[in-house]
Amino acid sequence: PWADASSKVAIDEALKLVRGKAGREHPLWIDGKAVQSPSPLIADLSPIDTSLALGKFNAATAEHVDLAAKAARREQKQWAALAWRERVKTMRRAARAIRERKYEIAAVMSLEVGKSRMEAMGDAEESADLIDYYAKNVEDNNGYVVPLGKLLPNENTRSVLRPFGVFVCIAPYNFPMALSTGMSAAALLAGNGVVYKPAQDTPWTGLMLYECYMAAGIPAGLFNYVTGLGSAIGDALWKNPGVDGIVFTGSKEVGMRMVKEFSSAYPKPALMEL
């Protein structure tokens, strides 16, 4: 039984809304622009009813990945130059945008992954909680500007959080909103740009995250939404010379290859859950 009757009504209404939107074609979103790909569209079918086509999503090419990385690189410089409090303010707006649409996000997730309605709502709420958690960490640590010890009276040294540049975030299907948000929100709060690829089974949930970020005022081009098959663009994402870091949740085989090959010239961050 539902402890909160209003939540049951809200999710039921959201499921009707989402079913009414099913079957549409969705572009890539690169540099704030809708982009069509010449590759065959990817059919997003519901695992709980494979006759239900949730949507048709464009499949990015290596050229699209390169455009996304260049857009993120350009916007990242201005984003990184902002005071950390401004970035925190924007990201907290993103958390509010997620909460405002949590029932719709949960409805998409239920149909796209097969989660129960309750678990899907929890996934959506956790996404907002993760943003708030990271934002609080930045606030509690004064933007991670930490004075260090002195050897001489006139010495003034400190540890300062610096962004790496552009991160590729490759998300899984099992917690498609929460893990996508956790990856990308941490990178954005620290002043990085992002090229984001949702799992090929959950592109609609990933689109919801993109829309919430744009509603919060995250600069167009700083966060790019690139859908496609991992087998087609996986290597293009992390091997792109404009990419400075990777966040990946997936198989041990793929992840370990990334770790070993990504830092061949010099150490670069590769954050893995395998």
Side-chain angles (χ1 to χ4, degrees), residues 164 167-168 238 243-249 254-263 266-274:
F164 277 93
F167 269 80
V168 159
W238 61 272
V243 170
D244 303 293
I246 315 169
V247 191
F248 172 77
T249 297
V254 173
M256 290 305 296
R257 185 163 67 88
M258 288 181 180
V259 170
K260 291 173 182 176
E261 297 181 23
F262 187 55
S263 298
Y266 57 91
K268 293 187 286 185
L271 313 177
M272 303 280 142
E273 181 184 357
L274 308 179

Side-chain angles (χ1 to χ4, degrees), residues 38-103:
S39 302
L41 295 170
I42 299 171
D44 185 18
L45 304 178
S46 174
I48 57 175
D49 178 3
T50 54
S51 67
L52 176 58
L54 298 174
K56 299 174 183 177
F57 289 80
N58 274 254
T61 64
E63 289 74 19
H64 293 124
V65 170
D66 192 53
L67 288 172
K70 287 175 178 173
R73 169 77 57 194
R74 186 194 68 239
E75 292 296 329
Q76 183 270 334
K77 293 176 182 178
Q78 300 177 55
W79 178 250
L82 289 175
W84 63 262
R85 288 179 178 84
E86 291 301 312
R87 291 199 298 270
V88 166
K89 190 184 299 182
T90 301
M91 295 307 295
R92 286 198 182 278
R93 286 200 301 268
R96 289 196 295 271
I98 290 170
R99 288 193 177 99
E100 287 167 3
R101 298 184 68 184
K102 74 174 183 179
Y103 293 111

Side-chain angles (χ1 to χ4, degrees), residues 2 21-22 26 30 42 44 68 73 81 85 98 101 109 132 135 162 168 189 191 206 219 222 248 253 256 269:
W2 287 72
K21 294 181 178 180
H26 299 280
I30 299 172
I42 299 171
D44 185 18
R73 169 77 57 194
R85 288 179 178 84
I98 290 170
R101 298 184 68 184
M109 224 183 303
D132 286 340
R162 301 282 189 198
V168 159
L189 273 163
L222 185 72
F248 172 77
E253 178 186 5
M256 290 305 296

Side-chain angles (χ1 to χ4, degrees), residues 149-214:
K150 294 183 178 183
L151 292 175
L152 299 170
N154 64 344
E155 187 177 349
N156 183 3
T157 57
R158 63 191 61 211
S159 171
V160 180
L161 177 69
R162 301 282 189 198
F164 277 93
V166 175
F167 269 80
V168 159
C169 295
I170 304 174
Y173 74 91
N174 56 334
F175 289 90
M177 189 71 179
L179 292 182
S180 294
T181 307
M183 293 178 174
S184 56
L188 291 166
L189 273 163
N192 299 289
V194 172
V195 178
Y196 164 62
K197 181 196 170 299
Q200 64 194 51
D201 295 322
T202 54
W204 196 355
T205 304
L207 180 59
M208 300 293 285
L209 176 60
Y210 174 82
E211 290 175 355
C212 288
Y213 278 165
M214 293 305 102

Side-chain angles (χ1 to χ4, degrees), residues 106-143:
V108 169
M109 224 183 303
S110 287
L111 294 173
E112 196 169 44
V113 187
K115 284 180 182 277
S116 69
R117 291 176 295 176
M118 192 68 78
E119 186 178 345
M121 287 190 294
D123 195 318
E125 189 67 44
E126 183 185 2
S127 305
D129 289 346
L130 283 167
I131 296 176
D132 286 340
Y133 171 78
Y134 290 134
K136 187 175 186 300
N137 270 269
V138 174
E139 290 170 333
D140 289 349
N141 290 278
N142 190 34

